[in-house]
Amino acid sequence: MNKIEELKGQKDGLDVGDDIPRYARLGVEAIEEGDVDRLKWWGVFLRKQTPGHFMMRLRIPNGVANTAQLRTIAAIANRVGRGLADITTRQQVQLRWIRIGDVPDILDRLLDVGLVTLQTVMDNIRNIIGCPAFGLTPNELLDASRAIRAFTAMFVGSKTYTNLPRKFNVGITGCRENCTHAETQDVALVPALKSIGLQEVKGFNVLVGGKNGSGGYRVASPLDVFVRLEEAAEVCGAIALVFRDHGSREARNKVRLAFLLEAWGEARFREMVEARVGRRLEKAGADQRLGQSTDHVGVFRQKQPGLNYVGLLVPVGRVTGDQLAELARLSEAYGSGEVRFTADQNVIIPHVPDATVGNLTVEPLVKKLRYDPPGVLRGLVSCTGIEFCNLAVIETKTRALKIAKGLEAKVPATKSVRIHWSGCPAGCGNHTVADIGLLGTKTKVDGKVVDAVDIFIGGSSGPEATQGVKMLESVPCDELPQVLEGLVRFGEFAKVRRQIRLLQPAPTAVSMPERIEPLLPSRAPRAGVHHPGIASTDSRKEPRGCHT
């Protein structure tokens, strides 16, 4: 039994909540060794990079936040977090430089606006991700947000789910444009149609066993299960409990759900899930995902007449407290008082009327967090890196942004390319599903150890997911600008993916429905002008059968 299993056996992670006020009074030195790890069940991490200070990870299901929540996060960041916050690839927010003495007040202030930090780390079900444009985009089969809320309510605060063998990532989406990287999740529910009797029922096919870390990208396997919207939370919970009861608890790098799937096979795993729910489950329906992905950055027509949603690029996910407060103001002034964080570390303001969308696009903040960024910035994603993360081996965010800005003038602004940075093999930057994936490592130059990356190309998620190929190894980061310039300018990533698929086992035939195409604007909307035809260059289209 590993050290973490011993720690969990002695005391449930949620129970450390009773000790937080005492630790706040006595100071960080008074925290017992085991409770340093148990505090992670409350989303509170002690970080060696910031001695005496903690990181706090907020749970924001599906990335949806209201203005009260945004203003509270902004105020906390400005008061005790040195004015910074990070949007993560799980659609949540992380605050840093927090002192233990401030934690009880922060938890209370968050709870007052409906936010918690519970179970966002360690061996728990992490923040549930989903399409940030749910209920808005015409390219969704169904609105999956109700399933995300129901499942979140089922496990948050429940000790039934606080002792899993390892972390457990879940994505539930009705979006057909592959915006959540479903194949990287332990459990993913993706849009599907099923003929049941004389009816064609909308719901989800279930994928299981995806991952980025613990040995690299494993594409989630179809479980051959179809679930209706109202069944989704129950089935996700059952899968988590099968993992809890039967997953290995030995070496930490060999205990993700993927390893249980490999040991059992999908058929046996499905039988165990059916035993847990107490009934036979419907076999999979027809996958309704399209042949391309989207990032929802841009100005888009909503399903609701006269309304638009505006996706803004947040470079590498880092924002200031003042920017969060301004996003709250903009969402009230132009939208419905709601914002939505995305899995690409960006933000959406929904429900913007035609008559005012032009005014929004010329707001000062929107000049910084752009709706129309150049391609090399648009596809930029980065993990935290060594600046704040104990596992990372290189600096990522600042370096990623500096290199990308340097490339702006050297590559066509219209060429969309995903460049994802992960500072360690855990893969939190989703480098495995990028056109160009950068994985941090070290190398020697003239006898001196320096930051470096392994470079992967051609990775993707979607119904024909591809595992990227390691093209270059141990490239010193100082040489990356020149290397990436060549790859971005001349790389044909769709062709690379086609070649990769020729070397992979033939996938099950997938029916590709037709996408609802928006009208593309020829230029940015002008302030104060009514633009009934506004849409966006949102979708990164490739030839049919190539999925980013």
Side-chain angles (χ1 to χ4, degrees), residues 165-364:
R166 198 69 167 82
K167 70 177 180 180
F168 197 78
N169 291 333
V170 178
I172 305 175
T173 180
C175 177
R176 300 189 297 171
E177 295 186 279
N178 306 303
C179 64
T180 60
H181 307 307
E183 279 69 24
T184 67
Q185 304 298 296
D186 291 280
V187 177
L189 272 56
V190 297
L193 284 174
K194 174 76 173 179
S195 295
I196 301 177
L198 299 177
Q199 291 186 318
E200 194 169 51
V201 180
K202 295 179 180 180
F204 310 95
N205 284 345
V206 180
L207 312 178
V208 290
K211 65 180 180 66
N212 276 328
S214 297
Y217 184 23
R218 181 189 189 275
V219 175
S221 304
L223 193 58
D224 194 18
V225 167
F226 174 86
V227 296
R228 296 171 174 83
L229 180 64
E230 60 271 17
E231 299 175 299
E234 177 194 17
V235 172
C236 287
I239 294 171
L241 294 180
V242 170
F243 178 48
R244 181 199 66 183
D245 293 346
H246 300 283
S248 171
R249 293 179 182 265
E250 299 302 324
R252 295 281 290 173
N253 63 343
K254 297 287 185 181
V255 295
R256 290 287 296 275
L257 179 64
F259 295 100
L260 182 60
L261 261 293
E262 289 177 3
W264 279 6
E266 287 79 11
R268 181 182 174 190
F269 190 85
R270 172 182 165 139
E271 289 175 0
M272 296 299 287
V273 173
E274 290 177 329
R276 171 67 66 173
V277 299
R279 66 181 184 280
R280 300 287 292 180
L281 297 172
E282 295 280 354
K283 289 190 176 294
D287 193 327
Q288 293 299 295
R289 290 177 291 170
L290 298 166
Q292 65 272 336
S293 69
T294 187
D295 54 17
H296 298 295
V297 171
V299 182
F300 298 89
R301 277 296 198 186
Q302 293 182 194
K303 291 190 288 188
Q304 298 80 12
L307 294 177
N308 309 272
Y309 69 90
V310 181
L312 306 178
L313 179 80
V314 181
V316 297
R318 180 151 290 173
V319 291
T320 67
D322 291 344
Q323 286 175 331
L324 288 173
E326 179 64 359
L327 280 170
R329 184 191 73 81
L330 294 179
S331 70
E332 283 184 336
Y334 294 98
S336 61
E338 176 184 273
V339 300
R340 303 180 182 187
F341 301 116
T342 82
D344 286 324
Q345 302 176 309
N346 300 316
V347 65
I348 288 172
I349 299 177
H351 307 302
V352 180
D354 287 341
T356 58
V357 68
N359 292 345
L360 172 60
T361 64
V362 297
E363 285 278 353

Side-chain angles (χ1 to χ4, degrees), residues 52-70:
H53 296 81
F54 293 78
M55 183 262 277
M56 295 184 71
R57 181 178 290 165
L58 283 56
R59 182 178 288 278
I60 305 178
N62 212 155
V64 181
N66 59 42
T67 53
Q69 292 169 338
L70 274 187

